């Protein structure tokens, strides 16, 4: 029986790979995608989600727009410098003929959970604004989730600030609601896949070269990741590109790739330099599972295999692969 999965995301280069990993995996059925403003604005994250699904031949999967910005404090900046102005590292996809459904992200999540024949796994790879909205407005529906897997936070340092990882930094109040004080009638098993494990789950330039020769979709991903690699090299001195969101999706599809420890996670919602920090107390009253280790070879093999299995639908094989390649040469 394939398990239903919902993805709330802000595509985003690595969000694109999370979407593709899900649609390529027979173990799960991606029953819906909801979008949030994060890496780039909501119009672009929604456009990208639609176009990525169409490229993979899954324009049938419903996409619903969610929050463009946090409910409380506005974002001081997005992540165009990391994901490109178009959110996909300069890679341009054919525009899908499908549009978002006539429902909000919250409405799509609620309707999907209510009508699912078995409990839904929700994967969140962007700011948690939509998920917090679900927890606040429909706690009973949220309680029916089989599992929540969040890409975000870190036990150690952040990547947007020294203290905070981007998804949490973008909406700390939402993250507090989801991770620190969920307040649900029935707790939802929640796994926090943070930088401590995603930084280790990374492609090298050689991996990207191999990906580039493994079919059109894989090549396109490699080109987009080339932009991401250059950004992480510039900003963090890294010579590998972390697969943040694909790791969260891989853990949802194949539980156990990430080793977890139960912990109390306090999200810092102050307005000082530690805003958005996830203080992980491994000895406190546990609220979530936090990723502390990862089976890197198995995870990279799984993600790579999924990406290489996809054929671009209705596109010229070589043409799509060359899109965005100019970033590789930088
Ligand atoms: O910090 C990495 C996370 O922030 C990823 O989800 C990336 O897509 C951005 O949203
Ligand atoms: Ca993301």
């Amino acid at each position: 029986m394939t398990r239903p999965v919902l993805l709330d995301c802000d595509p985003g280069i690595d969000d694109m790979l999370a979407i593709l990993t899900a649609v390529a995996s027979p173990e799960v059925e991606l029953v819906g995608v909801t979008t949030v403003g994060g890496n780039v604005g909501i119009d672009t994250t929604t456009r990208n989600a639609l176009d990525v699904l169409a490229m993979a031949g899954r324009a049938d999967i419903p996409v619903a727009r969610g929050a463009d910005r946090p409910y409380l404090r506005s974002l001081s900046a997005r992540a165009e410098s990391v994901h490109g102005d178009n959110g996909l590292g300069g890679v341009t996809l054919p525009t899908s003929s499908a549009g978002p459904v006539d429902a909000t992200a919250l409405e799509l999540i609620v309707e999907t959970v209510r009508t699912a024949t078995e409990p839904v796994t929700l994967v969140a790879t962007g700011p948690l604004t939509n998920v917090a909205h679900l927890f606040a407005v429909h706690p009973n529906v949220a309680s029916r989730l089989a599992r929540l897997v969040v890409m975000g936070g870190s036990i150690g340092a952040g990547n947007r600030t020294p203290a905070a990882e981007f998804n949490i930094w973008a909406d700390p109040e939402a993250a507090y609601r989801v991770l620190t004080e969920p307040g649900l009638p029935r707790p939802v098993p929640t796994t926090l896949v943070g930088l401590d494990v995603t930084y280790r789950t990374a492609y090298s330039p050689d991996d990207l070269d191999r990906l580039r020769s493994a079919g059109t979709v894989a090549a396109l991903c490699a080109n987009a990741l080339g932009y991401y690699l250059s950004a992480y090299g510039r900003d963090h001195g890294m010579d590998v590109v972390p697969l943040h969101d694909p790791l969260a999706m891989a853990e949802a599809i194949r539980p156990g790739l990430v080793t977890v420890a139960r912990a109390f996670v306090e999200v810092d919602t102050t307005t000082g330099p530690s805003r958005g920090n996830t203080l992980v107390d491994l000895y406190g009253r546990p609220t979530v599972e936090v990723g502390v280790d990862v089976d890197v070879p198995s995870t990279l093999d799984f993600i790579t295999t999924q990406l290489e299995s996809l054929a671009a639908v209705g596109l010229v094989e070589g043409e799509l692969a060359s899109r965005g390649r100019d970033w590789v040469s930088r």
Side-chain angles (χ1 to χ4, degrees), residues 10 14-15 39 83 125 151 159 165-167 228 244-245:
D10 63 335
D14 54 338
D15 303 78
N39 290 317
H83 291 265
T125 62
M151 191 281 131
N159 62 351
E165 178 278 326
F166 177 82
N167 286 337
Y228 211 30
H244 304 294
D245 298 342

Side-chain angles (χ1 to χ4, degrees), residues 190-207:
T190 298
T191 304
L192 190 61
V193 179
L195 298 179
D196 319 277
V197 290
T198 63
Y199 270 165
R200 293 170 48 198
T201 312
Y203 277 147
S204 68
D206 288 347
D207 292 325

Side-chain angles (χ1 to χ4, degrees), residues 6 103 105-116 141 144:
L6 273 169
L106 180 64
E107 289 165 338
L108 180 62
I109 294 171
V110 168
E111 179 63 18
T112 303
V113 171
R114 278 182 172 153
T115 57
V141 173
R144 292 167 58 175

Side-chain angles (χ1 to χ4, degrees), residues 191-192 197 251 255-261 289-295:
T191 304
L192 190 61
V197 290
E251 169 57 25
L257 288 173
V258 175
T259 302
V260 298
E289 297 175 331
V290 176
V292 294
D293 199 358
V294 53
D295 181 344

